[in-house]
Amino acid sequence: MEELKHECGVAMIRLLKPLEYYEQKYGTRTYGFNKLYLMMEKQHNRGQEGAGLATVSLNAEPGCEYMFREKAEGKDAITEIFGKIEGSTTPQLFNSQLYMGHLRYSTTGKSGLTYVHPFLRRNNWRAKNLCLCGNFNMTNIDEVFQRMVAQGQSPRIYSDSYITLELMGHRLDREVERNYEAARQQGLEGLDITRYIEDNMDMANVLRTTLELYDGGYVMCGLTGSGEMFAIRDPWGIRPAFFYCDDEVVALASERPVLQTTFDLRCEQVVELQPGQALIINKRGEVRLEQVFPSRGNHKCSFERIYFSRGNDRDIYQERKRLGEQLTGPIMRAIDGDVEHTVFSFIPNTAEVAFYGMVEGFRKQGFDVRSEKVAWKDIKLRTFITEAGTRNDLASHVYDITYGSLQPHEDRSAEGRSQGDNLVIIDDSIVRGTTLKESIFKILDRLHPKKIVMVSSSPQIRYPDYYGIDMARLEEFCAFRAVIALIRERGMQPLIAEVYQACKNFQQENHVRRLYAPFTVEEINQKMVEMLRPEGVSTPIELVFQSIEGLHEAIPGHRGDWYFTGHYPTQGGTRLVNQAFVNYVERNVKM
């Protein structure tokens, strides 16, 4: 319902046969481009602010370009960059064997073509050319930046992407120099030295020395001018990556169904890149997996499964259904067991699979559930008027309803008893609550239900994410605002001061969790309803959230739950959430 900007998407392809092979078998020399285009379009959900691609041609002669890059901004960026390629008159471009694509959502507030991936570092030595893209956000980029400065470097732009490019480029230079010295010691000269360097690059060593201090979630992908291709996943497994390999092609993407659709594969043919593991393909097309960093436990992002990834993945589909089915108990209590006079629906489309699971759960218990398409999301309305009141009124009509889809509560039976239907609406998450207050509750109230039960298939979102999702300020979360309101109502303000001091002094533990400890989920739910109820809406409203236990039962393979529990997998996440509370207090609270 409340769209989150989040994790980017990556796509990589390495052709393992001569281009003539694909022309003969598939009827085109643009096989690689066609597959990359499809992989990027199938991941459009992961980034609509910009897109870019890069390719490398292994057979280009000296004096000819061999490394190409195109970037564009906006939701139509994929079409734009492939349109440029289609119209290109550069023959070397269509002789590429290495392909890399990226879909971007900004998670740092920085936008513009400058920040669209991939990033390119040029050099006259083919092996020193580096093109980099990724799905990542680092919590300790200040520390990494200072390390680079201490080495004598001076990055042109302060962003984790550019800093990573320059740091990895520096380590790539060192790897080239290491091989150069080894070649000289063997008595090699001229082009023989160049061939030795390109044939003996150790990208695992480059990755290890580049990322050893990094704290955060990442899938980092790259190409070198000499033909090395790599992708590495963070040691905590926060960000996802999947790959496929046969004798024709190696391909990697952020989501498994992307590879299945693009190459017509079964689930079992696609392999998940493991935490701390790198997929490396050298100039000769030799493929290997290397454990660059030890795994630091299972902290795979559960939000990927609830919301971000496409729901057509075999396992994600079943997990989302289980999330919905597990909510039948608390929903039954919320409607006082009156399934007969209840209409079930969902908002938005990403909650549709959880809705199927919820309905299936009731039917397993023998209930004949009534489901309707109650809410519709219209195209984004343009607010030409600048006056706040008129603008807010227009914004409240982003959603519309299906009139007559339930029995209104005002109707009475012949015996004079008040009749009417409850309305149960399931969503995948409730984050800020802004859309509920400004639009959803107002629109649903027009149906005059007996009661509105708003259901979230995820638990209460209480804490920011620092690994690639656009939610960093505590006060953005309606659960946090509700807790602060409860603390003030009950005269517990000293707790705010205590947590503030603890956050300032001790960064090794998430002290913000202490704010939630005195209150039950139900108390926080009730306070959220009070805060989110629009003026003039008198229909009873109840919030129902997934439990932490239910989350882990439905999604056992992805234990990353810091948004809900505050248990961050890295020290950087813990440090930043404490700092977020310090910032909140200093902005909003008189101490």
Side-chain angles (χ1 to χ4, degrees):
M1 185 183 306
E2 298 165 298
E3 183 177 340
L4 291 172
K5 296 179 181 179
H6 59 88
E7 308 153 12
C8 303
V10 296
M12 301 185 79
I13 296 174
R14 173 60 155 90
L15 302 182
L16 301 177
K17 301 282 190 181
L19 291 174
E20 292 75 18
Y21 172 90
Y22 305 94
E23 185 173 21
Q24 181 176 358
K25 182 172 181 178
Y26 300 106
T28 177
R29 289 180 69 87
T30 61
Y31 175 84
F33 279 116
N34 295 343
K35 293 299 187 182
L36 185 68
Y37 173 76
L38 184 56
M39 289 173 68
M40 292 177 70
E41 282 290 7
K42 290 296 180 181
Q43 295 183 99
H44 214 154
N45 58 302
R46 302 189 72 87
Q48 299 185 25
E49 291 185 6
L53 64 78
T55 71
V56 174
S57 173
L58 297 177
N59 304 318
E61 295 293 330
C64 296
E65 182 59 84
Y66 52 87
M67 204 166 191
F68 303 87
R69 180 187 62 170
E70 287 288 352
K71 303 195 296 183
E73 289 186 271
K75 60 183 179 63
D76 297 320
I78 299 175
T79 301
E80 182 178 339
I81 59 177
F82 279 93
K84 290 179 181 177
I85 290 169
E86 187 176 17
S88 174
T89 58
T90 306
Q92 292 88 354
L93 175 63
F94 298 100
N95 289 323
S96 299
Q97 292 85 10
L98 285 74
Y99 303 82
M100 182 170 72
H102 187 267
L103 288 307
R104 181 177 192 258
Y105 264 132
S106 62
T107 57
T108 60
K110 296 179 179 179
S111 59
L113 194 61
T114 300
Y115 296 97
V116 174
H117 301 207
F119 300 98
L120 180 59
R121 189 176 189 261
R122 292 288 196 181
N123 195 283
N124 275 348
W125 288 76
R126 289 173 64 110
K128 288 187 176 183
N129 284 268
L130 175 64
C131 204
L132 194 67
C133 77
N135 172 15
F136 60 88
N137 202 51
M138 305 305 175
T139 68
N140 66 332
I141 202 63
D142 292 342
E143 179 184 349
V144 175
F145 178 79
Q146 293 304 323
R147 178 189 180 189
M148 294 178 65
V149 171
Q151 292 173 340
Q153 298 186 67
S154 183
R156 297 181 297 111
I157 298 174
Y158 190 90
S159 78
D160 52 5
S161 303
Y162 269 94
I163 289 171
T164 302
L165 176 73
E166 293 302 329
L167 180 58
M168 190 174 294
H170 173 72
R171 301 311 309 172
L172 189 64
D173 290 347
R174 301 288 80 78
E175 179 65 17
V176 171
E177 291 162 9
R178 180 185 70 82
N179 282 307
Y180 177 83
E181 291 301 324
R184 288 290 299 271
Q185 290 176 12
Q186 294 182 29
L188 300 179
E189 297 180 352
L191 290 177
D192 289 336
I193 292 180
T194 300
R195 295 188 191 97
Y196 181 91
I197 291 171
E198 295 183 359
D199 288 342
N200 291 277
M201 295 291 291
D202 184 356
M203 289 308 301
N205 185 50
V206 173
L207 295 171
R208 186 176 297 107
T209 54
T210 299
L211 302 171
E212 59 186 350
L213 292 182
Y214 271 44
D215 182 301
Y218 59 82
V219 170
M220 204 78 68
C221 303
L223 312 174
T224 72
S226 58
E228 300 281 334
M229 174 182 277
F230 63 85
I232 183 170
R233 189 178 187 184
D234 66 82
W236 302 273
I238 296 171
R239 297 279 70 86
F242 299 84
F243 70 92
Y244 166 73
C245 180
D246 61 20
D247 64 342
E248 292 184 354
V249 66
V250 182
L252 178 136
S254 294
E255 299 186 26
R256 180 169 63 179
V258 172
L259 294 170
Q260 289 184 249
T261 299
T262 302
F263 296 99
D264 190 19
L265 305 172
R266 302 185 308 276
C267 285
E268 295 76 15
Q269 292 176 277
V270 180
V271 180
E272 183 175 4
L273 197 64
Q274 294 303 307
Q277 195 175 62
L279 174 69
I280 300 173
I281 306 99
N282 66 16
K283 178 183 177 180
R284 297 178 295 279
E286 296 166 345
V287 183
R288 79 179 196 271
L289 286 171
E290 182 150 343
Q291 195 69 37
V292 177
F293 299 108
S295 173
R296 300 190 183 181
N298 179 2
H299 301 285
K300 298 176 184 178
C301 173
S302 58
F303 232 127
E304 275 281 352
R305 320 296 282 188
I306 298 168
Y307 174 74
F308 294 138
S309 292
R310 288 160 61 95
N312 63 330
D313 181 276
R314 180 194 64 184
D315 296 338
I316 292 176
Y317 185 81
Q318 296 301 326
E319 290 166 1
R320 290 182 182 177
K321 285 186 70 176
R322 286 198 294 269
L323 286 170
E325 183 176 350
Q326 289 172 352
L327 289 163
T328 56
I331 292 171
M332 184 71 83
R333 291 190 289 273
I335 61 175
D336 294 325
D338 191 5
V339 177
E340 181 182 357
H341 297 102
T342 299
V343 170
F344 296 83
S345 192
F346 61 90
I347 307 175
N349 289 340
T350 50
E352 184 176 4
V353 178
F355 167 77
Y356 293 145
M358 176 184 68
V359 170
E360 187 175 299
F362 277 104
R363 288 175 177 163
K364 285 180 179 178
Q365 299 176 46
F367 295 104
D368 185 16
V369 174
R370 293 162 55 203
S371 61
E372 301 285 353
K373 177 70 172 178
V374 169
W376 303 76
K377 187 172 184 180
D378 290 333
I379 59 173
K380 188 172 184 180
L381 298 174
R382 297 187 65 184
T383 54
F384 300 100
I385 309 301
T386 57
E387 288 82 358
T390 306
R391 187 173 65 249
N392 290 341
D393 180 62
L394 287 169
S396 70
H397 290 79
V398 170
Y399 285 89
D400 208 342
I401 53 169
T402 304
Y403 292 96
S405 54
L406 57 80
Q407 186 78 9
H409 182 47
E410 285 82 358
D411 290 357
R412 291 181 175 273
S413 68
E415 294 80 16
R417 293 193 302 272
S418 176
Q419 299 295 306
D421 290 328
N422 300 305
L423 178 58
V424 173
I425 298 283
I426 191 167
D427 190 4
D428 43 44
S429 60
I430 298 173
V431 186
R432 302 176 180 93
T434 308
T435 309
L436 287 177
K437 183 178 180 67
E438 294 181 357
S439 180
I440 296 296
F441 285 151
K442 291 179 183 179
I443 292 293
L444 296 181
D445 189 56
R446 293 183 179 184
L447 293 172
H448 305 294
K450 186 176 181 180
K451 183 178 186 179
I452 297 172
V453 180
M454 194 73 214
V455 182
S456 171
S457 65
S458 69
Q460 289 177 352
I461 298 175
R462 299 180 171 189
Y463 306 94
D465 178 74
Y466 299 106
Y467 308 120
I469 306 172
D470 181 23
M471 48 180 186
R473 292 163 66 99
L474 281 165
E475 56 266 42
E476 293 181 357
F477 304 114
C478 54
F480 177 81
R481 298 196 303 272
V483 161
I484 294 297
L486 287 169
I487 288 171
R488 288 171 175 162
E489 284 180 7
R490 301 185 186 184
M492 301 168 61
Q493 287 89 337
L495 178 60
I496 294 176
E498 291 171 13
V499 172
Y500 170 75
Q501 289 299 328
C503 287
K504 287 190 71 174
N505 298 328
F506 305 102
Q507 297 290 312
Q508 304 299 313
E509 177 184 345
N510 179 1
H511 301 286
V512 183
R513 299 181 72 243
R514 293 166 55 185
L515 298 171
Y516 292 92
F519 310 106
T520 65
V521 170
E522 289 72 24
E523 288 175 309
I524 299 172
N525 286 352
Q526 292 170 10
K527 178 52 64 178
M528 279 196 280
V529 169
E530 292 177 26
M531 298 171 68
L532 299 178
R533 179 186 295 279
E535 185 177 352
V537 172
S538 58
T539 302
I541 299 173
E542 185 169 340
L543 294 178
V544 171
F545 284 88
Q546 180 65 258
S547 66
I548 300 297
E549 296 77 17
L551 171 74
H552 290 159
E553 184 179 341
I555 312 177
H558 289 67
R559 308 291 288 188
D561 61 4
W562 53 92
Y563 333 91
F564 316 119
T565 65
H567 295 307
Y568 289 87
T570 77
Q571 192 58 52
T574 302
R575 174 177 53 81
L576 288 178
V577 73
N578 285 333
Q579 186 60 50
F581 186 68
V582 171
N583 295 343
Y584 165 78
V585 170
E586 293 178 351
R587 282 193 303 264
N588 300 283
V589 181
K590 293 182 179 179
M591 300 299 293

